[in-house]
Amino acid sequence: QLLLTNIVPVKWNNRVTGAVVMILFRSMAVLKRAISEQERMYPEAVPATRQEGYSFGDFIGDSPMILTLIEQCHRIAHSPHPVLLIGETGVGKENLAGGIYRGYSGGKNIPFIKINCSAIPRDLLESELFGHEKGAFTGAAAMKRGKFELAAGGVLLLDEIGEMDLSLQSKLLRVLEEREFERIGGTRTIPLTAKIIASTNENLKQMAAKKQFQQWTPIIG
């Protein structure tokens, strides 16, 4: 069952003049799918703010813990520091990432690049992130700019960071610490000017204890 509905009629002078409808969704993921489907069918009704992506206002919840989390995200959104978002599927990590991007952009049109670390083969992910020079390996027929470079001045979201290979995690940590990188096969050092947001639904503390994930301090968790 995806959702529950409760319809209460509104009466005036013993006549039904309207209704109040309450819809309870099973999860945030189901709600987002429903919104996406509605926007696909009726694009003319989509507000401009929605077309630009998620914001903190899209994150549902008003408990003290949620309000504290939103406040933390507001603060970190205005800094260049990397952010790690940890939570189960459907809790709203993408909403938070979108809100952080909006806060960091300050209304400017800066890049917001997303990459799913679990959807790209491990031997290709390094090239996707770092880019490569022509002839760096078999099949590298031309120079390619990676996501670190394409996101310059903006935000790079690394989704499913827990799926990243350990050896590549070490290289990522070095990039975060030194704020610079090189394309595969290259010798020129390129400064990292993108804000990095990583997200995962994995328990990284348990993975780190099992040597399945490189230890790095989350700013938001």
Side-chain angles (χ1 to χ4, degrees):
Q1 189 173 12
L2 299 180
L3 55 86
L4 295 174
T5 59
N6 185 20
I7 303 176
V8 180
V10 176
K11 294 184 178 181
W12 178 259
N13 291 331
N14 292 324
R15 294 181 58 188
V16 177
T17 58
V20 176
V21 181
M22 178 180 295
I23 304 176
L24 301 177
F25 290 88
R26 188 176 63 184
S27 68
M28 280 290 295
V30 173
L31 173 59
K32 284 171 23 180
R33 287 202 301 270
I35 293 174
S36 297
E37 180 63 18
Q38 183 182 37
E39 291 174 352
R40 185 187 65 81
M41 296 177 62
Y42 307 103
E44 69 281 358
V46 181
T49 53
R50 167 67 67 189
Q51 294 173 344
E52 296 171 359
Y54 290 110
S55 68
F56 291 132
D58 295 311
F59 197 88
I60 299 175
D62 57 4
S63 69
M65 183 179 295
I66 292 297
L67 296 179
T68 299
L69 175 63
I70 296 297
E71 177 59 29
Q72 288 179 328
C73 288
H74 270 295
R75 292 201 305 268
I76 200 62
H78 300 286
S79 82
H81 299 300
V83 178
L84 177 58
L85 302 171
I86 303 175
E88 297 178 356
T89 300
V91 299
K93 297 188 296 297
E94 187 177 352
N95 293 4
L96 293 178
I100 292 171
Y101 164 73
R102 285 196 178 187
Y104 187 72
S105 69
K108 298 179 182 178
N109 185 22
I110 62 175
F112 186 21
I113 296 179
K114 307 173 186 179
I115 183 169
N116 189 325
C117 298
S118 66
I120 301 175
R122 294 181 179 181
D123 55 343
L124 297 180
L125 184 55
E126 183 175 359
S127 175
E128 285 293 317
L129 292 175
F130 290 83
H132 61 253
E133 297 290 351
K134 180 179 179 180
F137 50 83
T138 303
M143 184 275 288
K144 175 183 177 180
R145 298 168 65 198
K147 296 297 189 291
F148 289 140
E149 199 169 348
L150 294 173
V155 175
L156 173 60
L157 173 60
L158 303 176
D159 193 19
E160 302 295 347
I161 191 70
E163 300 294 328
M164 183 179 288
D165 183 71
L166 276 172
S167 61
L168 187 52
Q169 289 177 30
S170 298
K171 296 178 181 179
L172 173 61
L173 282 176
R174 183 177 178 184
V175 172
L176 295 178
E177 291 170 356
E178 300 182 2
R179 302 295 298 178
E180 61 184 23
F181 62 95
E182 296 175 357
R183 298 191 192 114
I184 299 175
T187 57
R188 182 171 67 91
T189 298
I190 303 172
L192 176 69
T193 61
K195 181 180 180 68
I196 305 297
I197 303 176
S199 64
T200 182
N201 59 6
E202 301 283 354
N203 188 324
L204 297 187
K205 289 184 178 180
Q206 290 184 2
M207 292 181 65
K210 297 177 181 178
K211 308 298 182 183
Q212 297 174 342
F213 190 82
Q214 293 283 345
Q215 183 70 50
W216 62 305
T217 305
I219 298 175
I220 300 294

